[in-house]
Structure formats: C-alpha cells, structure tokens
Amino acid sequence: MKRLFQLLWNNNFTLLFIFLWSISIYLVVLNNRFQQVYVVNSSNRVAASILESMHEVSEYLSLKETNISLSRENAELRSRLASNFYTLSVSDSSINDSLFLQQYTYMPARVVNSTINRRNNYLTLDKGSRHGIKPDMGVISSDGVVGIVKDVSEHYCTVMSLLHKNSRVSARFKKSNYFGSVVWNGEDSREAELLEVAKHVKFKKGDTLVTTVFSTVFPEGVPVGTVSGYELKNDANFFEIDLKLATDYARLTHVYIVKNLLKDEQRKLEMESTTSDDN
Amino acid sequence: MITELIRYVISFFALLLIQVAVLNNIHLGGYINPFIYVMFLLMLPVRMPGLLLLVLAFLLGLIIDMFSNTVGMHAAACVFMAYARPTVLKFIAPRDGYETESAPSVREFGFNWYAIYAFILVFLHHLMLFYIEVFRLSEFFPTMFRVVLSTIFTVAIVIMVQFLTDKPKLKK
C-alpha cells in the first residue's frame, strides 16, 4: 500500500496532466452533445459584456456600410407598402384575420461576437431568454440565411452559423423547386457546397437557392446562395455544386431572429406520426 | 523575485488581451490563425514546478475558451503543451544544463535554440487544438496544412515579440 502511494506521488505530474486533460476533453464532448453548457461559454455574462464593448468599437467603424445596407433594405420594404400599389380590382378586398394567421415573427438583434476562421463557427447575439429567444430558432440577415440559435442565457444567445461541420440547411432552386442540402467544407467563408441534387436537374451558373418549406426553422424563400460552379463526375448520380453564400459572415452586424409560431404544432404532429409508425 | 512575478502577471493579461481583442479577429486566407497567448507558457522559468505549470496552462486555456466559444479545446491543448514542456526542455538542454533561475528567451539561449524550442511546443499545441476542433480523421491533410501554417505564423509573432519586449540584462 505504501509503495502504491509512493508510485502515485512519484508520477504526480503525469497524473495531474491526465486529470486536467480529461476534464478538458469531457467539456469538449459535453458541449458537442448537449445544448447547455452555461459554465464556460460566451453566453457567459462577463465574457459577453467584454466582447460586446469590444464589438461596439468595430461596429462604429463599419457604421457607413451598415447604414447603406439598412437604407437599401428600408427602400425595398417601402416599395412593398400597400400605398404604393394601384388597386386594379373593382371590389374592395380586405385582409381577414381569421384567414391569415401570422406564422413567423422577427426580432432584430446585434452581433456582438463572431468567428469565420474555425472549422466550427459561432456568433453571439445580444438577445436572450428575457426576449423570448429559445434554442433552435432560425437567424437570418437582410442578405440571407445565417444560422440556428444554440445556447441561450438571460441577455445573450449563441448561434451555430452555417459555417459549422454540423450545419445542414435544405435549399431549393428558386426557378425549378428541386432541392438539396447545403453544407460547409471548412475552407472559404464565402463558399459552401450543395449536395443531393440528382443529375437530371437542369440549372445554370448564377441560379439562386432559397430555403424550402420543409424547414421549421426558416421561413420559405430566404436566399441561401447562388451557384458559382458545378461538376458531374462520370458515374455519379449527383452533381457536385459550389455555392457562393448570400450572407457575408465577415461583415455581419445586424441580424433577425426568426420565431416560428406554428413550429411546436408541426413538430408534435410529425412526432406522433413517426411514433405510430414504429408501433 | 517580486518584480519577476509582477512581470509574469502583466504579461499574462497583456497576452490574453492581444489574443482576444486582436488576433482572434485575424484570419489570413481562412487558414492562418495565430495564437500568441501560448507565449506565456513558453516564457515561464525552466525550474517551474510541474504541477503549477499544468494548473496555469489549464486556467489560461479555459479563459481563452470563454472568449472564443470553444469549451475545453484550448484548455486541452494548453495542458498537453505544458505536459510536453519539461521533456522538450530536457531534450534540447545546452551542454552544461540550465541555471537555477533561467527562463527561456532569445537573449539567454540564442535565436536558434529558442526557435526550435518554440516551434516544437507551438506545433504540439496547434496539433492538439486543430484536431480536437475537427474531431474526425477524414479531413486529416487539410487540417495538417492549417496546423503547419498557423504554427509558422505563431512562432514568427512570438519571436518578434521577444525582440520587442526583452530588455537588455546585465551579464553576471
């Protein structure tokens, strides 16, 4: 027994190394598997508030570009105002609330921290559970899809961006409705790949891809990217398509968090169908 | 002794700040991502107690993790690097050994020695960090490419900082 303790004491350096290293790996795995690691995360309040004040500086420096993009969006929204349209029909039509149920609501948020240079990238936004944000909500910008909310604290949330090895967004061609999955290969933050498009589908360079109606996270028709190149290998049944992403992650400052009011209903129904299949 | 301690505390926070505020926002060509903060582990005294070295490395890694949303990854890489440090130091020891109070620096051991020392340890750190981040072997070669490029950049910055901050010391 005494010799055992002696042996342990003699190797204390190695033992402490194994202990600390295992804790670290445990944290990595824990964070990959579960949604909530509040302890060491940038939803952590201290870190997030420091990051936010740092971000204010860089946000100030890019005010001009932000203004341009906001005013462009304003102009586009303004053009959709009802007062801009000339009424063609003679009969008066009014929107009835019982016919149109609002499905998506949007909450503006500011990006207080983001990365684009890792294999797995995240953004931190300045909205949290206090504003009704929950995990798995979608995040879009005025240009297109951004990502999905991962962790939420009281005032902040972190977003798994499309630039992540676990991100998979289903997208369809705006013109033809054929769809595939968009994934990121870890190289350029402006490019992604579109998978699962069969070889009979017709499309050309520059075609736009938008989100599909299958997603319970994003509303239909949000831009994802445009085709920048494609290849069909000899015996392959599927195209290899390169996309230019609609969102420029390197300059993202303002985004919208999408809340799907009917999501729980859809999920619950689908869950019931699949479980009844299993029985 | 006390001045040494203060110097280490100041450099700890200075390196953290530079890493979080400046270098975390640098991405050259999407591949290169220098991590200057590991310089703190490089500059600790040679005769540092091993357990203290490991604990410091773990804390340093955790703080960096907090700021970059990478729970545990930097901590694991730092602890690994700290564990390898005594072995590397023994491996490249000068012929007559180390003096009691010496700390690794270009001034004390020369450029070549320091470059080899920094390169080995930074490489081990980046190797651990990037492979934990990817967590699969299917992207082995692209990841290795990133490891090597980032190592070269980090070592270059570390050596530059060495030249900028090391004040001339009177020879005993």
Side-chain angles (χ1 to χ4, degrees), chain A:
Chain A
M1 202 60 196
K2 198 180 163 195
R3 287 186 60 189
L4 179 68
F5 280 121
Q6 192 68 42
L7 188 73
L8 288 179
W9 180 246
N10 286 344
N11 289 314
N12 58 10
F13 184 57
T14 308
L15 285 175
L16 184 66
F17 162 69
I18 293 170
F19 176 67
L20 290 178
W21 196 78
S22 320
I23 293 181
S24 314
I25 297 296
Y26 174 71
L27 284 174
V28 174
V29 173
L30 195 73
N31 188 48
N32 276 344
R33 204 172 292 163
F34 301 112
Q35 297 261 317
Q36 276 106 5
V37 177
Y38 289 118
V39 199
V40 200
N41 212 329
S42 93
S43 352
N44 177 312
R45 272 202 80 171
V46 184
S49 60
I50 295 175
L51 286 171
E52 185 174 11
S53 54
M54 259 160 42
H55 186 78
E56 263 160 19
V57 177
S58 59
E59 197 180 43
Y60 179 76
L61 296 177
S62 60
L63 266 185
K64 199 177 162 194
E65 285 145 36
T66 312
N67 270 337
I68 292 171
S69 107
L70 283 178
S71 60
R72 204 171 46 207
E73 195 183 359
N74 268 342
E76 199 199 317
L77 292 177
R78 197 174 281 271
S79 69
R80 292 188 194 168
L81 281 179
S83 59
N84 283 342
F85 295 102
Y86 183 79
T87 318
L88 287 174
S89 65
V90 184
S91 66
D92 200 31
S93 68
S94 66
I95 292 173
N96 191 338
D97 277 350
S98 61
L99 277 177
F100 294 97
L101 179 66
Q102 182 152 29
Q103 186 180 3
Y104 293 101
T105 59
Y106 299 86
M107 175 175 292
R110 235 156 37 107
V111 181
V112 297
N113 185 29
S114 73
T115 61
I116 58 166
N117 53 339
R118 306 223 168 78
R119 182 64 183 88
N120 301 321
N121 295 288
Y122 293 92
L123 304 109
T124 309
L125 308 182
D126 68 344
K127 294 284 183 296
S129 57
R130 172 174 276 213
H131 309 92
I133 308 302
K134 294 199 188 81
D136 293 336
M137 284 182 175
V139 177
I140 62 173
S141 72
S142 52
D143 297 326
V145 167
V146 173
I148 293 169
V149 174
K150 186 162 179 279
D151 295 328
V152 180
S153 71
E154 194 186 347
H155 296 97
Y156 298 96
C157 63
T158 54
V159 176
M160 180 170 102
S161 84
L162 198 58
L163 311 180
H164 191 292
K165 75 175 178 215
N166 294 337
S167 277
R168 212 178 168 87
V169 172
S170 99
R172 67 171 171 86
F173 288 101
K174 203 173 183 178
K175 287 179 185 160
S176 64
N177 282 349
Y178 284 108
F179 63 88
S181 299
V182 178
V183 295
W184 188 55
N185 58 10
E187 280 166 18
D188 191 334
S189 71
R190 306 229 48 186
E191 280 168 14
E193 287 171 7
L194 179 65
L195 309 176
E196 296 156 15
V197 175
K199 65 178 174 186
H200 63 270
V201 178
K202 285 195 177 64
F203 60 92
K204 59 180 190 298
K205 254 188 186 177
D207 277 0
T208 309
L209 283 129
V210 295
T211 51
T212 59
V213 76
F214 311 138
S215 162
T216 55
V217 176
F218 300 110
E220 196 196 358
V222 179
V224 178
T226 49
V227 177
S228 64
Y230 58 89
E231 197 183 353
L232 184 62
K233 294 235 169 89
N234 279 339
D235 297 328
N237 284 322
F238 297 99
F239 279 105
E240 288 173 17
I241 305 177
D242 292 325
L243 291 186
K244 185 175 174 299
L245 288 172
T247 307
D248 185 354
Y249 287 88
R251 315 195 308 177
L252 213 53
T253 52
H254 290 84
V255 295
Y256 303 96
I257 302 172
V258 184
K259 197 176 194 175
N260 183 353
L261 303 173
L262 303 181
K263 177 170 150 185
D264 288 341
E265 187 183 330
Q266 187 182 345
R267 280 270 171 89
K268 202 175 145 215
L269 182 67
E270 286 169 355
M271 195 82 85
E272 278 167 11
S273 314
T274 38
T275 42
S276 61
D277 278 352
D278 293 340
N279 291 335

Side-chain angles (χ1 to χ4, degrees), chain B residues 47-98:
Chain B
R47 300 273 158 125
M48 182 92 176
L51 301 186
L52 185 57
L53 183 68
L54 284 177
V55 172
L56 274 178
F58 184 67
L59 287 180
L60 180 66
L62 269 191
I63 296 177
I64 295 288
D65 280 331
M66 266 190 204
F67 281 99
S68 39
N69 250 324
T70 52
V71 190
M73 290 182 199
H74 284 280
C78 283
V79 171
F80 182 64
M81 176 181 165
Y83 180 68
R85 202 184 96 132
T87 319
V88 173
L89 276 173
K90 204 187 286 174
F91 187 65
I92 56 170
R95 198 179 308 151
D96 33 349
Y98 298 101

Side-chain angles (χ1 to χ4, degrees), chain B residues 1 5 12 23 33 164:
Chain B
M1 189 58 212
L5 190 66
F12 183 86
L23 290 182
N33 195 195
L164 289 175

